[in-house]
Amino acid sequence: MAAGISILPGSVMGKTFGHISPTDKLNIAGIGIGGVGRRNLSNMKTENIVALCDVDWHYADKTFKDYPAAKRFKDWRVMFDEFGKSIDAIMVATPDHSHAGVTAHAITLGKHCYTQKPLTHSVYESRLLTKLAKKYKVATQMGNQGNSFDWCRQIAEWIQSGIIGEVTEVHCWTDRPIWPQGLSEPKGTPPCPPTLDWDLWIGPAKHRPYNEAYTPWNWRGFWDFGTGALGDMACHIMDPLYWALDLKYPSSVIGSSSLSNLYSPPTAQVVKYTFPERKPKGKVKMPEVKVFWYDGGLLPERPSELKDGEMMGDENGGILFIGSKGKIMTGCYGSAPTLLPKSAMNHFKQPAPSIPRIKGGNGNIWQTNAHEQDWIRACKESPENRLESSSNFSFSGPFNEMVVMGVLATRLAGLQGLHRELKWDGENMRFTNISPTDKIKIVTVDEYAVIDGDPHFDRRFAEFNALDTANEWIKHTYQNGFTLPDMPL
C-alpha cells in the first residue's frame, strides 16, 4: 500500500449502510486524469484521492505528481478487481466513447459516479446509466458544471413564472469546434509512444492503428471517439432550457451541415429538435417547442431588440428564448440572463427564488468546486434521505439521450442523408420513419489536387442501409472484449 494514505474498508467510518458522515472522507478514484479530469480531482481534494487510472502515463504524469500516494493503474478493470473494495466513488473523464463502460460497471459495484459530459457516446448507454443508477441507488453527477450555478435556476424561475409567456422557440449556439473537424481518416502508422497503451485507449471502439491525430485531445473530431461540437457543448448550453422547459424526449429531429464524412463530424451544422406539449410548469403552459442548435460559426437570426454594438450571447455562445410575451437572452452556460430589449431590465422585478441554490454556485465558473462538492455531499447521504445533486443521472441521462440523438440528425438526415425530418420514439429509442430499404451515402474519400493547372476532385461515397446504421449508432456494438452490464428491467 502506498505510504501516506490509510485505506479503510466500507464497514468502518460509518460506511456500513452505503453512506458516511459528512465529516469523514470518501475514497475517490480518478479514471482519465490527464485533461479536464485533473481539474475535477482538484475540486474533490477535500476527500482522499486513493487511486489514479489513465492509459497514457506521460499525459497523466502531472496528476500523478499531484497525488503521489495514490495507487496507479492503466486498466480500470484491473483497478476494480485489485483495489475496488477500497474505493467509494469514481471520477470519469476519459474520451466520450469510454464513459459508459467505466461508469456502468462501477455502478454495479456500488460506486458513486461523477462522469464528464457528454455522459455517454450513445442513446442506449445513457438509458443504461439512468436505470443502473436508480437500481443501485448511488449518487451521480454529469460534469456539466454550469448546472450547479445560479443562472440555471434563475432562468427556470423567470420562465416558469410566465415572465415571457409561453415559450415556443429556442435558439442555442456555440463557438465550437475549436479542434479540427471534417477530417479524413488519418494515414500512416507512426510508432505508438511507450507510455500509451493504445489497445486500452481504443477500448470498445473498432480497432485501428495508433495515430497522433486521435490523442490526447483531438479525438472529439472523430465519430468513433467523440460527438463533435454538439456533444461537447450542448450539455452546457442546452442545460438551462432543458430544465426550465421541463423537456424529456423530442418527437422529431432534423439536421443540416457542411460536408461530413464517415470518420469526422462536419465543421458546421444546424439541428432542429421538436418537443411535444408538456404539462404546465409553475404559472405557465408548456406548448410544443422547437429548439435549434448552431455551431461552427453559424448563428440564429439576430434579435431586432438588440442595439447596434450589443453582442448576441457572449464570445462562447448563448441561448435565445422566444415567448409569447417577450424574449430572454443568455451567454454560454446560461450566464448573464437578460430580458430583451435590455432596457426592460431597468424596471424588472425578479421573481422570488423558488429553486434551492448550490453553495458556491456563483462567480467565476472556472474557479469554484460547487458542482463536484454537491456530488460529494450527495455521496455521503443515505439513499433514503439523499438530496440528489441536480445533474444526477435521472436528469442528465434523458438530457444526454437528447443530445446524442441530435448528433445523429446530421449524419442521417443531412447532406447525403435522408433529407427529411426524423420521427423519434424516445421511450423505445428508435426512429420510426426510416424504412428497412432506406439508404444513405457517406463520404469515405474527399481529396483535391491541382494537376497541370486544372483542379482534380476525388470524392467517393459508400452506401449504407439507413435503418441498420441508425440502430448501430443508437446502440453500439462493443468490441475488443469490452462489455456493458445488462439493461435493468
Side-chain angles (χ1 to χ4, degrees), residues 319-356:
I319 313 171
L320 179 65
F321 296 87
I322 300 176
S324 58
K325 297 180 181 178
K327 297 176 183 177
I328 296 171
M329 184 182 73
T330 83
C332 191
Y333 302 94
S335 64
T338 180
L339 298 175
L340 292 181
K342 291 184 176 181
S343 59
M345 296 298 293
N346 296 333
H347 50 80
F348 173 54
K349 183 178 180 181
Q350 297 273 0
S354 58
I355 303 172

Side-chain angles (χ1 to χ4, degrees), residues 400-477:
N400 199 78
E401 284 189 38
M402 179 270 292
V403 171
V404 294
M405 183 276 273
V407 169
L408 306 187
T410 297
R411 303 187 74 181
L412 291 167
L415 198 59
Q416 280 79 43
L418 297 171
H419 297 280
R420 62 173 177 260
E421 191 167 22
L422 299 176
K423 305 299 182 182
W424 180 246
D425 176 358
E427 292 293 339
N428 294 298
M429 298 181 286
R430 66 188 185 99
F431 293 108
T432 60
N433 63 333
I434 301 178
S435 78
T437 58
D438 276 329
K439 306 290 184 182
I440 56 174
K441 290 183 177 181
I442 305 178
V443 174
T444 56
V445 174
D446 189 23
E447 297 182 351
Y448 165 80
V450 175
I451 301 174
D452 294 330
D454 294 322
H456 289 257
F457 301 91
D458 182 10
R459 181 173 293 171
R460 305 175 212 169
F461 299 83
E463 189 174 78
F464 296 84
N465 179 279
L467 185 59
D468 291 344
T469 302
N471 290 337
E472 172 62 28
W473 290 343
I474 291 166
K475 181 185 179 182
H476 301 324
T477 301

Side-chain angles (χ1 to χ4, degrees), residues 31 55 74-78 94 97-102 105 125 197-207 476-485:
I31 301 131
V55 300
K74 280 197 172 181
D75 189 332
W76 55 268
R77 297 168 299 182
V78 173
T94 60
H97 74 294
S98 298
H99 285 184
V102 185
H105 284 289
E125 293 168 338
D197 189 316
W198 179 242
D199 290 343
L200 290 178
W201 192 93
I202 287 289
K206 181 181 178 181
H207 205 278
H476 301 324
T477 301
Y478 269 45
Q479 304 190 41
N480 311 316
F482 285 83
T483 63
L484 288 172

Side-chain angles (χ1 to χ4, degrees), residues 175-189:
D175 66 333
R176 268 46 166 198
I178 54 174
W179 51 83
Q181 288 190 185
L183 301 168
S184 299
E185 184 176 29
K187 297 178 180 179
T189 55

